[in-house]
Amino acid sequence: MDGAGHPSRRALLAGGLMGATVALAGCTTTRAASPAAGTSPEARPTTPAAAFTRLMDGNKRWVSGDLQHPNRDPNRRQLVAQEQEPFGSILSCIDSRVPPELLFDTGLGDLYVMRTGGEAVGPVVTGSVEYGPMTSGTPLIVVLGHQRCGAVKAAYESIRDGKPLPGNLQAIVNALQPAYDQTVREGGADPVETMARAQVTLTAADLRANQDLAPLVAQGSLAVVGAYYSLDTGAVEVLAGAP
């Protein structure tokens, strides 16, 4: 989770990621010469605080139903066709009820989104989270857990009962073991909810201390926020790290 075991990451980013333009052509390439006609996109937030405010304002609209559906038309598609500069990176669960683009009322090209069961993290996922801040200056990472997480519940019951899950589902269980251990120490009336929140805060803390992300956090150009989504209300609660 913390990037250990990757001593050549800086060299890779400088040589491999930035040089392999053909391989990454579908993700980023040269900026379009001019915006699409008739498009007036809102300025991209460039600071953690501004990006966080943009996200949370979008969530307020989601809760109230007063949605703007920004950046979702053909003009926006044309504008970002040649290059993307998302202002946020979201690591969330695969749950079908928790789509970050919708619950933050954002649009095309606004967010990098990584989704894994229970926000389980491994080297590939960590690298994907690092991509935005380290290659395009994305100023905000949000680790987003949620209410009644099926992956967390399955992992909790598997560890508690000593019954491994089939196939690669066990990899999710293994990744959530630290959250389970913290839950056992903390106790509480609803251990699954406690574990879901623990998974968010632990994962956000690990990313904040990551050897490549930590310097960006220290200099104030990146914030890593832990947050929790209510299926009942649609509201996002900040758990830690708000800029």
Side-chain angles (χ1 to χ4, degrees):
M1 289 187 192
D2 61 2
H6 300 280
S8 62
R9 187 183 298 278
R10 294 290 185 184
L12 172 64
L13 286 166
L17 280 177
M18 302 305 289
T21 55
V22 174
L24 292 175
C27 296
T28 55
T29 181
T30 305
R31 178 184 294 278
S34 61
T39 300
S40 300
E42 192 174 358
R44 172 186 184 265
T46 57
T47 67
F52 178 73
T53 297
R54 174 79 64 85
L55 272 189
M56 296 306 291
D57 285 349
N59 180 246
K60 290 175 184 176
R61 296 193 300 271
W62 171 256
V63 172
S64 69
D66 186 22
L67 299 171
Q68 294 180 357
H69 306 294
N71 300 331
R72 299 186 190 181
D73 60 15
N75 285 337
R76 177 64 172 182
R77 183 184 68 221
Q78 182 179 343
L79 180 66
V80 300
Q82 298 300 318
E83 184 178 15
Q84 58 172 335
E85 288 186 314
F87 68 84
S89 295
I90 313 294
L91 171 59
S92 66
C93 184
I94 62 171
D95 195 291
S96 64
R97 303 163 293 179
V98 191
E101 296 91 341
L102 297 186
L103 63 90
F104 288 116
D105 194 26
T106 58
L108 194 65
D110 288 334
L111 300 175
Y112 290 111
V113 176
M114 289 64 61
R115 301 183 69 175
T116 68
E119 307 86 59
V121 177
V124 172
V125 176
T126 300
S128 298
V129 175
E130 292 170 348
Y131 182 84
M134 296 184 68
T135 66
S136 56
T138 303
L140 180 68
I141 295 170
V142 175
V143 180
L144 184 66
H146 68 93
Q147 185 182 27
R148 304 188 193 101
C149 181
V152 171
K153 180 180 179 181
Y156 176 83
E157 292 176 349
S158 172
I159 299 171
R160 180 196 63 189
D161 300 338
K163 296 180 179 179
L165 297 184
N168 288 309
L169 293 176
Q170 184 59 32
I172 298 176
V173 175
N174 295 341
L176 270 59
Q177 179 76 51
Y180 176 87
D181 294 340
Q182 179 168 313
T183 299
V184 171
R185 292 193 299 269
E186 291 182 0
D190 191 335
V192 173
E193 292 299 301
T194 299
M195 182 171 168
R197 290 170 178 266
Q199 173 62 8
V200 168
T201 55
L202 289 171
T203 301
D206 283 348
L207 290 171
R208 211 173 288 120
N210 174 294
Q211 65 179 14
D212 293 307
L213 298 179
L216 302 178
V217 174
Q219 70 188 28
S221 62
L222 174 68
V224 182
V225 178
Y228 197 75
Y229 178 70
S230 169
L231 296 176
D232 293 335
T233 68
V236 171
E237 172 192 356
V238 176
L239 302 182

